[in-house]
C-alpha cells in the first residue's frame, strides 16, 4: 500500500431525494443542505487516516486497486473486519477471521490465501470506509 495525503476539508451540495437505479420519478430539484465528507467518513479524526490500495487482493470484498481506505486506529478489530496489518515489513489489507482462540488473515481474490495472525504481526487499524473514483 502507498501513503498519500488527502484533504477532506470540503463540503458539497447534498440532495435530499433518494437516488434510484431504476426509472426516474418526479424528484425534488433542490439542495437540502451541504454534506461534510469528514462528517460522513470520519468518526474519530485523531485516530483516522487514509491510504490508497495498491493491489487487487481484496477484490471479492468489493475493495479495488486504487480505492482509498478510511482507517481508524482506535477501534478494536472484530471478527470479519477488514484490517490493515503490518506483516513482514509492509502494510497489507486483509479480512480478520476469528475461530476460537485463533485469528486468521484472508485475502479475497481468486487465490484467496489464509494465514494465521502471528504474534509479530500488528493490526494497525480497522477499515471504516472506502472512497472510489468512477472516472480517472
Amino acid at each position: 500500500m502507498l501513503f498519500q495525503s488527502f484533504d477532506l476539508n470540503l463540503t458539497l451540495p447534498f440532495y435530499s431525494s433518494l437516488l434510484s437505479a431504476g426509472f426516474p420519478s418526479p424528484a425534488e430539484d433542490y439542495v437540502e443542505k451541504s454534506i461534510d465528507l469528514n462528517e460522513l467518513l470520519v468518526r474519530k479524526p485523531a485516530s483516522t487516516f487514509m491510504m490508497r490500495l495498491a493491489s487487487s487482493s481484496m477484490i471479492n470484498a468489493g475493495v479495488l486497486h486504487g480505492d482509498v481506505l478510511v482507517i481508524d486506529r482506535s477501534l478494536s478489530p472484530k471478527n470479519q473486519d477488514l484490517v490493515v496489518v503490518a506483516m513482514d515489513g509492509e502494510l497489507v489489507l486483509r479480512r480478520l477471521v476469528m475461530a476460537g482462540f485463533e485469528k486468521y488473515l484472508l485475502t479475497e481474490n481468486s487465490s484467496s490465501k489464509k494465514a494465521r495472525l502471528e504474534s509479530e504481526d500488528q493490526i494497525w487499524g480497522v477499515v471504516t470506509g472506502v472512497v472510489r473514483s468512477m472516472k480517472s
Side-chain angles (χ1 to χ4, degrees):
M1 278 190 248
L2 303 174
F3 284 99
Q4 185 172 351
S5 174
F6 296 94
D7 180 10
L8 286 183
N9 291 326
L10 172 68
T11 57
L12 298 171
F14 182 72
Y15 289 84
S16 61
S17 60
L18 297 176
L19 181 63
S20 171
F23 291 104
S25 65
E28 302 152 53
D29 253 351
Y30 63 91
V31 177
E32 181 176 300
K33 66 175 188 171
S34 291
I35 191 165
D36 181 343
L37 294 178
N38 287 301
E39 183 181 309
L40 181 67
L41 297 171
V42 180
R43 289 182 179 84
K44 300 176 184 174
S47 61
T48 300
F49 63 99
M50 299 177 123
M51 296 179 77
R52 186 176 300 277
L53 185 63
S55 78
S56 56
S57 65
M58 299 301 286
I59 196 167
N60 292 342
V63 185
L64 308 179
H65 182 278
D67 284 354
V68 175
L69 307 175
V70 181
I71 302 158
D72 189 333
R73 294 200 64 194
S74 72
L75 296 177
S76 295
K78 296 182 177 25
N79 190 38
Q80 298 297 317
D81 277 350
L82 293 182
V83 294
V84 175
V85 183
M87 289 178 68
D88 300 324
E90 69 175 319
L91 294 176
V92 296
L93 178 64
R94 297 289 186 264
R95 170 131 4 239
L96 177 66
V97 176
M98 299 177 181
F101 293 105
E102 299 293 325
K103 293 180 182 178
Y104 297 94
L105 301 168
L106 285 92
T107 59
E108 292 200 25
N109 59 16
S110 59
S111 63
S112 290
K113 297 176 187 168
K114 178 169 99 172
R116 178 175 285 140
L117 179 67
E118 302 295 342
S119 59
E120 63 270 8
D121 300 331
Q122 178 187 7
I123 295 179
W124 236 45
V126 176
V127 175
T128 61
V130 177
V131 180
R132 175 176 303 137
S133 175
M134 302 301 284
K135 298 269 186 187
S136 50

